[in-house]
Amino acid sequence: MTDTPTLKPGTVLVPAEDLRAFAAALLEKGGLGPEHARTTADVFVWAALRGVDSHGTARVPAYLDLLAKGVANAKPEMTVESSTPAVAVLDADRAPGPVALTAAAEEAVTRARAAGIAAVGVRRTVHTGAIGYYVSKIAEQGLVGIAFVAGMPNMGYTGVKGTAVATSPLAIAVPAESHAPLLLDMATATIALGKIRQARASGIPLPEGAAAAEDGTPTTDPEKAVMPLPLGGAKGSGMSLAFELLTSVLVGAPIFAAFHSDDPQGRKHRQNALLIAIDPAPFGDAHGFTAAVDATLGTLKGLAAADGAEGVFYPGERSAAVGVRRAEKGVPVASKVWRELTESAGKLGITPPEARSQG
């Protein structure tokens, strides 16, 4: 992932703290309590800092819409159910994903400190956002974080005609000492839905094998494409189905089966998740573990780079570097997104922060 100094015409730069406060103010006016608004804004700005703009502050207008329509519960009464020290289920009561999964990550860390390992399932949340954020929070505590999410079917499945499974993501964060943590954050789709919309708007053909028409036929025509195809074919679709079993089915809130049933409630937006925290200490030497992680990452980076490659990078390394640069220089916000944010601010009586125009 790269972050070039030359920004697209109309893009503005906003200091990260100002952008976080602005997003939180908008979300609070949208109905969230102050703490939940700050938590949600922090997830968005974390993604924007790392260059994952599709999950950054561009999501604020969509969340305001979810809150206004009652799809997301602005005043959730979340509960934690547990019958064993290392396992819990957090019922989100339709809380926004950043609120529910942040709470679940904290619960997982607390339980893993006592039991060595802990798993926290999340039931009935709404749009989880960038799940790399939650495992990163676990890694900041010196633990290994793993997360799975299952959502509404919007992707093909190998051998199935039409929409079948979800572009469900996986994230893993492993703490290190001198290196930035390893952060693997990936969806089970070849291409994001947002990329299809962008290609349609620009008229640019899609890559081969990335998307399909409504009947499931692969297409490079963005006008015909309605859904992404699984990453690696049967591998990606199989992973998505497995994540549904490890999250939705495990916590007693199936999505896939309900979506494909005759029950109209099966199409109601919702997501489920499973967060796992692993404390390295019970496995041996916690300091030795992070030192060995550093050695492993250093060994990788010491390998000879292939011809034409910019270098050898491990998952999360480049996005962490982007985060450092954007924290210093400001977060780029696309003109369309900034316009939507400022229009929402005008309706809600909020003064936007000062932004520096680029291009």
Side-chain angles (χ1 to χ4, degrees):
M1 185 178 294
T2 59
D3 189 29
T4 60
T6 302
L7 303 176
K8 294 180 179 179
T11 298
V12 299
L13 285 177
V14 184
E17 286 304 319
D18 291 350
L19 191 60
R20 185 179 288 107
F22 182 37
L26 288 169
L27 292 163
E28 188 172 349
K29 284 288 187 177
L32 290 179
E35 182 179 353
H36 288 177
R38 286 192 297 270
T39 296
T40 305
D42 195 52
V43 175
F44 292 157
V45 174
W46 178 89
L49 278 168
R50 297 178 69 95
V52 190
D53 299 314
S54 61
H55 285 65
T57 47
R59 290 286 183 177
V60 173
Y63 271 59
L64 291 174
D65 187 54
L66 290 172
L67 290 165
K69 292 180 177 178
V71 176
N73 188 354
K75 308 294 181 185
E77 296 183 6
M78 298 189 297
T79 57
V80 176
E81 308 162 7
S82 178
S83 58
T84 178
V87 177
V89 175
L90 185 150
D91 191 301
D93 189 28
R94 296 183 295 106
V99 174
L101 269 70
T102 296
E106 293 172 354
E107 186 74 24
V109 168
T110 298
R111 290 173 179 267
R113 290 285 189 212
I117 185 171
V120 178
V122 179
R123 178 196 299 138
R124 296 195 305 145
T125 188
V126 177
H127 194 272
T128 52
I131 65 169
Y133 173 90
Y134 314 110
V135 293
S136 292
K137 285 297 182 182
I138 293 173
E140 286 177 5
Q141 301 299 314
L143 280 64
V144 175
I146 304 172
F148 307 95
V149 169
M152 304 301 291
N154 58 359
M155 181 176 77
Y157 185 96
T158 302
V160 173
K161 182 178 180 179
T163 302
V165 292
T167 56
S168 300
L170 157 71
I172 301 172
V174 182
E177 288 191 358
S178 61
H179 289 85
L182 177 142
L183 175 59
L184 175 68
D185 187 350
M186 56 171 281
T188 49
T190 301
I191 190 172
L193 277 168
K195 294 293 185 182
I196 295 176
R197 288 191 288 268
Q198 289 175 2
R200 187 178 300 132
S202 61
I204 299 175
L206 293 162
E208 292 280 353
E214 190 171 357
D215 63 358
T217 304
T219 181
T220 60
D221 185 347
E223 293 296 332
K224 296 180 180 178
V226 299
M227 62 179 171
L229 288 171
L231 179 67
K235 295 179 181 178
S237 56
M239 288 174 66
S240 177
L241 186 62
F243 296 169
E244 164 73 3
L245 299 178
L246 289 172
T247 59
S248 306
V249 175
L250 190 64
V251 300
I255 293 176
F256 175 81
F259 181 90
H260 292 290
S261 73
D262 295 329
D263 184 358
Q265 291 298 310
R267 299 294 175 106
K268 187 175 181 180
H269 174 74
R270 61 209 184 279
Q271 294 187 351
N272 301 304
L274 179 69
L275 273 66
I276 300 171
I278 303 172
D279 187 350
F283 290 86
D285 179 3
H287 172 72
F289 172 72
T290 52
V293 171
D294 264 358
T296 301
L297 299 179
T299 299
L300 174 72
K301 294 191 64 58
L303 298 178
D307 292 342
E310 296 179 5
V312 179
F313 304 97
Y314 60 87
E317 180 183 5
R318 284 181 287 184
S319 58
V322 170
V324 172
R325 291 197 297 274
R326 289 190 171 188
E328 294 174 349
K329 300 177 180 179
V331 180
V333 182
S335 56
K336 180 176 181 291
V337 173
W338 187 244
R339 184 171 62 253
E340 291 176 344
L341 292 174
T342 54
E343 286 176 353
S344 295
K347 295 175 183 177
L348 297 172
I350 296 172
T351 302
E354 289 188 13
R356 182 157 55 91
S357 297
Q358 296 289 303

